[in-house]
Amino acid sequence: MTRDAVKFTGTIPEYYDKGLGPNIFTYYADDIARRVATTGATQILEIAAGTGIVTRMLRDAIAPDAHLTATDLNQAMLDIAAGKFNNGEAVNFQTADAMDLPFDDNMFDALVCQFGVMFFPDKLRCYQEALRVLRPDGCYIFNVWSPWSENPFAQIAHETIAGFFTQNPPTFYDVPFSYHDIRGITGTLHEAGFKEVSAEQLPHIAELDDIPHFAEALVYGNPIVAEIDERGGNPDEIVSAVEAAIVSNFGEAKSMPLEAILFTAGG
Ligand SMILES: C[S@@+](CC[C@H](N)C(=O)[O-])C[C@H]1O[C@@H](n2cnc3c(N)ncnc32)[C@H](O)[C@@H]1O
């Protein structure tokens, strides 16, 4: 993974939130927020919170007196997240690297991370950090994407974009869809010290109500746009091709399959 794959900066967060959010993230955000709320946790830390898609649902789902801290590596993502809350709503926003959490030991009774772990370069280290800041009876709930075969939109976006480059095509779409080996992930969680680990595959059919904005965000709403720029590509031309490919694959049904894997790990 290149360092650029984690640069969700500049105009990326806005495209991400508006174009990718409703099409691929909100369903799983609702799922994970409900699961965290069900634990009854009152000191909650969110890692890689991004534009606050989970954060917003979580704040609504947990008890009013529960404390929620939402963190991300990129302040630009958190700026959008913070805009989803009114003054007086109890959420602390803070930049934080998931592999070096700026919190004391045993501070939280639940940790949540939606579609972030794939971007952390050192998986063992991020799980050790999660366990360190969790109380002994706390739990870590996170999800990752299943492979391209279960999330065909990502392969379509990758291949359409790659088709514009005769050599060295952008590789961003490998990163979020290449960390899904349940046995391997479970093994790393055990190695980090988590004792109880469970995993559940969550297939879903997503409704597509705005394909143009979805296609736009598949190019402008993640760090692949920087890879396109570096290679001298024309992002607008590529958006048109991605939109055509999405319409040709999913336009008739206006829906597409997705799948995530949800992990729950307890110390
Ligand atoms: C696909 S987004 C997921 C955001 C959000 N959880 C959601 O569901 O929309 C991945 C996020 O991981 C963040 N990220 C990448 N590397 C990180 C790190 N080392 N520590 C914390 N956050 C990181 C990025 O800034 C980005 O916001």
Side-chain angles (χ1 to χ4, degrees), residues 187-208:
T188 310
L189 284 160
H190 284 311
E191 192 183 342
F194 283 100
K195 295 191 180 70
E196 304 289 330
V197 178
S198 67
E200 189 181 340
Q201 280 155 311
L202 302 175
H204 170 62
I205 301 293
E207 302 300 322
L208 286 172

Side-chain angles (χ1 to χ4, degrees), residues 56 59 64-67 82 84-93:
R56 181 64 269 177
R59 184 62 272 176
D65 59 348
H67 295 268
K84 297 178 179 178
F85 293 86
N86 298 318
N87 286 344
E89 286 191 282
V91 184
N92 298 320
F93 290 102

Side-chain angles (χ1 to χ4, degrees), residues 24-33 54 57 114-115 143 145 151 202-205 257-262:
I24 62 173
F25 291 120
T26 52
Y27 172 80
Y28 290 107
D30 181 54
D31 173 80
I32 207 166
V54 171
M57 293 184 182
Q114 163 148 294
F115 300 128
N143 55 20
W145 288 116
N151 293 292
L202 302 175
H204 170 62
I205 301 293
L258 297 175
E259 190 182 284
I261 308 167
L262 183 109

Side-chain angles (χ1 to χ4, degrees), residues 42-106:
T42 56
Q43 297 289 341
I44 302 165
L45 174 65
E46 185 181 1
I47 300 164
T51 59
I53 297 170
V54 171
T55 322
R56 181 64 269 177
M57 293 184 182
L58 199 50
R59 184 62 272 176
D60 291 337
I62 58 180
D65 59 348
H67 295 268
L68 175 59
T69 300
T71 63
D72 194 277
L73 188 66
N74 290 297
Q75 181 63 46
M77 293 294 265
L78 292 180
D79 288 344
I80 301 270
K84 297 178 179 178
F85 293 86
N86 298 318
N87 286 344
E89 286 191 282
V91 184
N92 298 320
F93 290 102
Q94 188 171 340
T95 53
D97 185 334
M99 291 171 303
D100 189 14
L101 294 172
F103 303 106
D104 292 338
D105 298 357
N106 303 326

